[in-house]
Amino acid sequence: MNRPLKIVFMGTPDFAVPSLQAMHDSGHEVLAVVTQPDRPKGRGRKLTPPPVKSTAMRYGHPVLQPETVSTDAFHRHMAELEPDLYVVVAFGQILPQSLLDIPGIGSINVHASLLPRHRGAAPIQWAIINGDRETGVTTMMMDKGMDTGDLLLVEKTAIGPDETAAELHDRLSVMGARTLIRTLDRLQDGGLERVPQDPDKATYAPMLKKTDGEIDWSLPAERIECLIRGVTPWPGAYTFSDDMRLKIFKASVLKREISVPPGTILECIPGELRVATGKWAIAIQEIQGESGRRLAIDDFLCGCRLPDGTCLG
């Protein structure tokens, strides 16, 4: 198949924008862009379009925003477009099999993990939280399961020792766009092998909840440091000092034996905040109080004293 592919693109957040941009520049025909409806955002609850919609409109692509893709009307619309392919990148809705059956070639998904590891809604965050040293992006053929389709192409990358979920998100979004175009080119040439996933190696990365950011000081220091990076920027890592909620943005591991209960603030030199954990200790470097802003720890401690021996959590 040497002609340009006729594609319906489905995506919603910032992560999907580089893939849409790459497709626009690729020479393939974007028949329509399907994205989530505009939602209220911010303190004023102003109705705000998703990032993919803004990008699609800038490029002049038709935009569809169904509340659900499971209606007969939406199915008929897709069938009338006669697409060769759906490309799905962080769309946010499950596609029923009847919808997946419409494109002549099938449906391709760009997923931000090395499948079958970290299937689900938050693979970037859980890769960091779980202490993975490596991650990447995978393109796969979609089926009715949750990220269970045959693998197409994989691109790997190391996770930086200080990398947050926000930073890794931005890197993988660009990598995903690059891998998508390679996948489409190989698909067009007929040289793309489909590799079934090994279900015995599957792990799951569910959507994060606000409570996932609360620090359990009984965990080892290395796991806590991974949690802090993995939940930045959302939901954010936090702990409590009495009734005061403290949000922690950056910390480092101190490999030293500790003989006090986890969560105890250790004796520190001025301008430092060290906390005991289940194994070793954590040195907090950036923090935010309940009504303040994000500060370096020495600036924070100038206005908020946390005495040695205080127990957090």
Side-chain angles (χ1 to χ4, degrees), residues 184-240:
L184 296 179
D185 290 345
R186 294 271 297 276
L187 192 66
Q188 200 173 26
D189 294 340
L192 196 58
E193 180 184 2
R194 297 171 57 150
V195 179
Q197 294 189 40
D198 182 350
D200 292 336
K201 295 181 179 179
T203 66
Y204 293 89
M207 187 174 294
L208 289 171
K209 309 180 297 296
K210 286 186 178 180
T211 53
D212 288 325
E214 184 168 8
I215 295 172
D216 177 357
W217 293 104
S218 69
L219 294 174
E222 290 179 316
R223 286 191 59 187
I224 293 173
E225 192 274 337
C226 288
L227 173 74
I228 293 168
R229 291 187 291 114
V231 297
T232 298
W234 196 91
Y238 65 93
T239 190
F240 293 93

Side-chain angles (χ1 to χ4, degrees), residues 168-187:
L168 183 57
H169 167 283
D170 292 348
R171 285 207 300 121
L172 293 184
S173 67
V174 175
M175 186 183 297
R178 182 169 64 241
T179 307
L180 170 62
I181 298 305
R182 287 176 52 223
T183 302
L184 296 179
D185 290 345
R186 294 271 297 276
L187 192 66

Side-chain angles (χ1 to χ4, degrees), residues 67-83:
E67 283 287 350
T68 172
V69 296
S70 296
T71 63
D72 291 341
F74 185 78
H75 281 55
R76 286 195 300 271
H77 194 164
M78 290 297 100
E80 289 166 0
L81 290 175
E82 298 182 341

